[in-house]
Amino acid sequence: MIKMTKYSMYTKMIWNALLRRRSRMLIALLAVAIGATVVSGLVTIYYDVPRQMGREFRSYGANLLLTPAGDQQVMAQNLVANATALLPSDKLIGIAPYLYDRIKLNEQPFLVAGTHFQAVKKVSPYWQIRGEWPADQSEDIVIGAEVAERLEIEPGQQVTLAAAGSETEKKVKVAGILRTGGSEENFIFLDLSLLQQMLKKEGVISIAQVSITANEAELNTLTQQIGEQVPGVAPRLVKQVTQSEQTVLGKLQALVYLVTIVVLLLTLICVATTMMAVVTERRKEIGLKKALGAENRSIILEFLGEGLALGALGGLLGTILGFFFAQAVSVNVFGRMISFQPLIALLALVVSIAVTGLACLIPVKIATEVEPAIVLRGE
Amino acid sequence: MFWEMLKGALVRQSRKMFMVAITIALGVSLTTAMLNVMLDVGDKVNRELKAYGANITVIPRAASVLRDVYGIEASSGKTGQYLQEADVGKLKTIFWANNIVAFSPLLETKATVGSDDITVVGTWFNRQLELPTGEVVETGIKELKSWWTVEGNWINDTDIKGAMVGSTLARKLNLHIGDSVEIVLPGGTQGEALTVQGIFNSGGAEDDQIFVTLPFVQQGLNLPGKIGKIEVSAITTPENELARKAAHDPKSLSLKEWETWYCTAYVSSIAYQIEEAVGDSRAKPVRQVAESEGTILQKTQLLMLLITGLSLAGSALGISNLLMANIMERSREFGLLKALGATDRDVLLLTLTEIMTTGLVGGIAGYFLGLGFAQIIGHNVFGTAVAINAMVIPWVIISVILITLVGSLPAMRMLLSLRPAAVLHGR
């Protein structure tokens, strides 16, 4: 019974302290909430940046090539399907198959590549097409800028295609002209199945370009898996792309990491100083309580309770705000939503409670060590 | 009297004011560090992205169609199908010369080793190049192809008997470091024995090639002073509509647009200026690298901007919060002042000066602390110092004044409505 009243007295004192001193407590609460917002917001961003940035890096194009094993020039299309079944589908950006050969365009020999244009758009987003991309299932073609310049072809023009050694000719429309600054500018691109038909090479391709969000280690495991489980396919990493991505992404993550640490430290110190100021102000109250016979322990406990309550409330508020901030950043920068991370929310809550509690304890500890008479006399 | 009171308040309250000063210093250091890093992050990330290799290739105008499409090797000595090695230094004379970080001339040829046909590339490895301006720059493929992993050593440009062999080719020919390889260049009957100084892995087509010094190939082909192409790595501004329009045809721009385009470091305008500087050349931007750099750079900058915004808002609120707590705490003191006959103006002036003095001290300390933080970030992440931007200083001053003023506003309002009797009575 006595214990009960003691507890109810304790809660009452804390509640009163929080409510009576409304404006001051509001300040303290605001400070804690700001701190927690920064913690939860930044940690969420730190956690999310490599994943989101990794996707952006895929604009460099394929990072994995599936080539025919051994001395073969081509491989069966279904082998590629077997290989891609081993890749995690949620990380896969796209797979573009290519069949390379020579073809005659308006009676002149050129290099030709058959592919799926929809897949190319995903794998090689840097392709710059003047004119239009060919529509799905159409017989329209895309020609490289060098070819177009040489033959003075404009988008929309009709050209004649003929496979080497065959008499059948095909009239097709040039949908667009490709500019990449690379060797692609010397090629003619058309739909894979159309080229396979023309060359009578049904069901085979020369190479498949794969774009997948994975780091170098993951890619190495994937290539090993494919190499072992799909005979006839030799997977190769595009080293320039994978390694550079690793370096740049690593630096970016380190940057966000360091910034997060610095911001966190400073915010926590800010929160602590504010809490200290709020508590130091109440030295007189502590002196009075001591004079009335309160023990140091119970005074410390009371202030600790206040601090913890404040920390929990402010932390909760800040965690929610921080999540919304991180969400806003993700949507604005990367155009994608992020998922709620319970672990980060918990971390922000614990950190804010711990910091508030600690910041309360230091000034209270100092105040309780002073003689009540000196404190009450003022100064 | 005023100054004595001010001094008294500052000294008497030294501990509390110290706390305010520290908080302001921390807030300001955060502002300084974040702004400095933010302003410099574009440049830093851009340099990192250089690992993706050359973003402009310069080829001879006439050869661009012939060799690429038909694989025809031009007969030696014909002008127009090669660039002049002497012209390479001109790259560094264009308007955006400072944005060109690395470049290297290349001269490629087919050759035979034993019974195998291989590609031999003559190039600069790490060359000290004296520019027409008298400046000396260091460039070559060591800088350009930073992602290569090399077993053994990079060869020296003066070591004409040295060679670097691609990893795939080395495996095929069973070559090891220190081995000698005999290369027969087209037109020659006598093989030249070169020493394998290094074996590199590039993950690309170069793994099937042998890289040697440029003079070796030039002498072997009897093409003194000639090169096949130049690979250039330049720091560029992300592409936009104007740049795309210009890339298609610079002549389609209006005079004003043309000026803007020419004076911006777009990959297309740098390529255009290279064509102007290097005679009979064609500079092609490598889209894959140019476009991706733009996207990644933009995203990074936006990300840093938002993080900076959050930390600034956080530190501003933190400072104003502490000021409010500080003034509220001293309501009794102000009540006494008022009771002794001080006007509202006097009290406001006194507190404001107090806060501003503290803010000034804290702000100056914080600025230098922030520079330190920025350097720590720069050195740890990018391995180089973050450029100290003078533009940050006015921003910091404005934000300190604004934050301290706005932060003390609610407290000021409280001060004005303070009733001395009530406060002195103690609630």
Side-chain angles (χ1 to χ4, degrees):
Chain A
M1 194 61 202
I2 293 169
K3 218 170 176 189
M4 268 277 285
T5 34
K6 202 174 155 196
Y7 272 115
S8 64
M9 178 68 185
Y10 178 69
T11 25
K12 207 174 192 176
M13 274 169 77
I14 288 178
W15 262 121
N16 276 346
L18 289 179
L19 290 180
R20 214 165 7 93
R21 312 163 44 84
R22 220 175 311 152
S23 52
R24 275 132 175 111
M25 283 306 142
L26 213 62
I27 289 175
L29 188 68
L30 198 63
V32 181
I34 293 164
T37 308
V38 175
V39 175
S40 84
L42 280 186
V43 175
T44 310
I45 291 173
Y46 168 67
Y47 177 83
D48 217 46
V49 154
R51 203 164 56 86
Q52 306 272 34
M53 266 304 194
R55 286 206 158 240
E56 298 302 329
F57 272 86
R58 299 295 358 105
S59 59
Y60 273 106
N63 47 0
L64 178 66
L65 298 179
L66 301 177
T67 56
D71 290 334
Q72 299 293 313
Q73 289 300 311
V74 289
M75 57 184 167
Q77 234 174 317
N78 55 5
L79 277 182
V80 174
N82 290 347
T84 47
L86 293 171
L87 304 173
S89 59
D90 56 324
K91 289 186 170 177
L92 197 63
I93 306 286
I95 301 168
Y98 285 93
L99 173 64
Y100 295 112
D101 213 302
R102 286 183 170 269
I103 205 166
K104 275 185 177 168
L105 181 100
N106 288 357
E107 295 300 315
Q108 302 202 41
F110 284 104
L111 294 166
V112 69
T115 186
H116 291 149
F117 287 111
Q118 291 308 318
V120 171
K121 263 196 226 177
K122 285 189 201 137
V123 175
S124 312
Y126 55 88
W127 276 28
Q128 221 176 46
I129 300 266
R130 188 157 61 86
E132 275 163 14
W133 283 89
D136 249 353
Q137 307 295 327
S138 76
E139 295 195 339
D140 294 354
I141 64 168
V142 166
I143 61 173
E146 298 276 350
V147 180
E149 200 169 300
R150 181 156 175 72
L151 300 181
E152 295 184 346
I153 294 175
E154 285 295 308
Q157 215 167 309
Q158 293 279 337
V159 291
T160 317
L161 280 182
S166 113
E167 292 304 307
T168 50
E169 288 189 342
K170 212 169 187 72
K171 278 217 172 289
V172 291
K173 196 181 89 181
V174 175
I177 289 167
L178 171 68
R179 214 170 251 289
T180 64
S183 53
E184 293 94 339
E185 291 187 7
N186 300 318
F187 278 79
I188 295 163
F189 293 90
L190 53 136
D191 191 64
L192 180 62
S193 46
L194 179 66
L195 184 67
Q196 285 172 340
Q197 250 174 41
M198 287 179 72
L199 299 171
K200 306 213 166 43
K201 285 188 173 177
E202 271 93 353
V204 297
I205 58 172
S206 319
I207 202 172
Q209 294 187 347
V210 181
S211 174
I212 184 167
T213 49
N215 59 34
E216 216 175 349
E218 287 171 330
L219 280 172
N220 277 325
T221 347
L222 282 176
T223 46
Q224 212 171 2
Q225 264 181 13
I226 294 174
E228 280 166 8
Q229 296 182 22
V230 189
V233 173
R236 287 177 56 182
L237 289 187
V238 184
K239 190 158 188 181
Q240 183 178 0
V241 172
T242 50
Q243 209 166 41
S244 307
E245 177 176 328
Q246 197 75 357
T247 338
V248 179
L249 214 52
K251 299 238 159 155
L252 270 185
Q253 202 176 2
L255 175 69
V256 179
Y257 175 71
L258 262 183
V259 165
T260 307
I261 296 279
V262 171
V263 175
L264 279 193
L265 268 181
L266 297 190
T267 332
L268 294 185
I269 293 174
C270 266
V271 171
T273 45
T274 310
M275 281 310 294
M276 277 190 203
V278 170
V279 175
T280 312
E281 185 193 359
R282 292 165 65 188
R283 283 172 73 201
K284 230 164 237 179
E285 188 188 325
I286 295 170
L288 187 63
K289 278 189 177 137
K290 269 188 95 168
L292 286 176
E295 286 196 21
N296 279 354
R297 222 178 73 94
S298 57
I299 293 174
I300 291 175
L301 265 182
E302 192 204 326
F303 274 83
L304 194 62
E306 256 183 66
L308 294 188
L310 261 177
L313 202 62
L316 198 67
L317 209 68
T319 308
I320 297 167
L321 278 177
F323 174 71
F324 281 114
F325 172 77
Q327 186 76 273
V329 168
S330 186
V331 168
N332 277 312
V333 179
F334 302 108
R336 277 185 284 271
M337 302 284 275
I338 51 169
S339 52
F340 181 71
Q341 297 289 337
L343 218 62
I344 292 173
L346 197 69
L347 174 86
L349 204 61
V350 169
V351 168
S352 47
I353 292 176
V355 170
T356 337
L358 214 64
C360 286
L361 273 189
I362 296 165
V364 172
K365 194 93 181 147
I366 294 169
T368 47
E369 271 157 17
V370 182
E371 277 293 306
I374 296 173
V375 178
L376 284 178
R377 210 171 56 197
E379 281 306 311
Chain B
M1 179 66 184
F2 176 76
W3 294 111
E4 236 158 67
M5 278 175 77
L6 184 66
K7 210 175 117 196
L10 285 177
V11 172
R12 229 175 337 102
Q13 303 268 339
S14 62
R15 261 183 62 192
K16 281 168 196 158
M17 279 307 167
F18 184 61
M19 213 138 91
V20 176
I22 284 186
T23 315
I24 291 180
L26 289 178
V28 170
S29 68
L30 186 59
T31 315
T32 316
M34 289 303 291
L35 283 178
N36 269 316
V37 170
M38 192 191 83
L39 290 174
D40 208 35
V41 77
D43 192 50
K44 290 275 178 291
V45 171
N46 215 331
R47 277 183 193 274
E48 293 299 326
L49 290 176
K50 285 288 138 289
Y52 278 97
N55 47 8
I56 299 173
T57 48
V58 187
I59 51 174
R61 185 162 283 281
S64 60
V65 180
L66 273 179
R67 207 172 13 184
D68 284 6
V69 179
Y70 298 107
I72 295 171
E73 283 295 329
S75 53
S76 55
K78 227 170 159 186
T79 50
Q81 283 156 10
Y82 291 97
L83 295 167
Q84 304 293 329
E85 190 183 357
D87 282 350
V88 175
K90 288 187 184 164
L91 284 180
K92 278 296 212 177
T93 61
I94 65 166
F95 185 75
W96 286 107
N98 286 334
N99 281 39
I100 292 181
V101 284
F103 54 93
S104 182
L106 302 164
L107 181 60
E108 222 178 277
T109 179
K110 296 263 177 252
T112 46
V113 170
S115 58
D116 293 290
D117 278 337
I118 51 151
T119 306
V120 173
V121 184
T123 187
W124 292 355
F125 291 88
N126 194 17
R127 167 92 133 218
Q128 309 274 350
L129 180 68
E130 199 171 329
L131 301 180
T133 54
E135 224 180 311
V136 175
V137 290
E138 203 171 298
T139 187
I141 58 165
K142 192 178 175 187
E143 201 126 324
L144 196 65
K145 316 253 180 196
S146 54
W147 69 94
W148 281 18
T149 44
V150 176
E151 194 191 320
N153 297 312
W154 285 92
I155 45 181
N156 203 306
D157 280 302
T158 50
D159 180 13
I160 200 163
K161 295 282 179 199
M164 288 180 81
V165 184
S167 54
T168 318
L169 187 68
R171 220 173 302 128
K172 209 163 93 186
L173 300 177
N174 199 20
L175 287 173
H176 301 281
I177 292 160
D179 285 0
S180 151
V181 56
E182 211 167 83
I183 297 177
V184 184
L185 293 174
T189 45
Q190 202 83 24
E192 283 267 8
L194 300 182
T195 316
V196 179
Q197 299 277 9
I199 292 175
F200 61 85
N201 185 348
S202 73
E206 294 100 335
D207 283 352
D208 272 320
Q209 300 171 343
I210 294 184
F211 276 69
V212 296
T213 55
L214 189 56
F216 175 80
V217 181
Q218 286 174 339
Q219 283 164 22
L221 294 180
N222 197 19
L223 286 171
K226 299 275 195 291
I227 51 172
K229 67 173 174 183
I230 312 171
E231 289 193 0
V232 183
S233 182
I235 292 177
T236 58
T237 312
E239 297 274 279
N240 62 6
E241 268 317 302
L242 175 66
R244 287 201 188 90
K245 196 172 155 193
H248 178 46
D249 182 13
K251 289 189 186 73
S252 66
L253 302 179
S254 70
L255 192 64
K256 201 166 167 225
E257 278 177 330
W258 195 86
E259 250 168 36
T260 320
W261 171 73
Y262 195 87
C263 297
T264 311
Y266 296 124
V267 65
S268 50
S269 56
I270 294 181
Y272 184 84
Q273 289 164 15
I274 290 176
E275 282 182 11
E276 286 181 330
V278 179
D280 257 341
S281 72
R282 230 180 106 128
K284 293 202 292 186
V286 180
R287 286 266 145 248
Q288 178 177 15
V289 178
E291 292 263 320
S292 318
E293 271 179 6
T295 346
I296 289 169
L297 215 57
Q298 260 170 348
K299 304 268 156 172
T300 315
Q301 273 170 330
L302 193 56
L303 183 72
M304 282 308 284
L305 185 75
L306 287 174
I307 294 182
T308 309
L310 176 71
S311 38
L312 291 199
S315 61
L317 282 169
I319 291 173
S320 76
N321 227 330
L322 184 68
L323 284 179
M324 218 138 80
N326 186 277
I327 290 177
M328 279 178 169
E329 189 187 338
R330 290 164 58 196
S331 54
R332 190 179 290 235
E333 184 192 328
F334 295 125
L336 186 63
L337 274 179
K338 273 187 160 182
L340 288 175
T343 58
D344 280 349
R345 231 185 108 239
D346 294 336
V347 178
L348 277 188
L349 206 65
L350 183 69
T351 34
L352 268 184
T353 326
E354 241 182 81
I355 289 169
M356 282 298 159
T357 322
T358 324
L360 192 73
V361 174
I364 292 172
Y367 176 73
F368 289 103
L369 198 65
L371 289 187
F373 273 129
Q375 294 317 326
I376 290 176
I377 292 175
H379 275 288
N380 276 306
V381 178
F382 300 108
T384 50
V386 169
I388 295 169
N389 205 318
M391 206 181 96
V392 170
I393 299 175
W395 275 100
V396 169
I397 293 174
I398 290 171
S399 60
V400 169
I401 293 176
L402 222 66
I403 288 168
T404 38
L405 271 185
V406 172
S408 45
L409 214 59
M412 294 295 157
R413 265 190 50 208
M414 197 202 72
L415 272 186
L416 292 184
S417 60
L418 206 68
R419 292 207 356 256
V423 184
L424 285 177
H425 183 60
R427 193 147 288 279

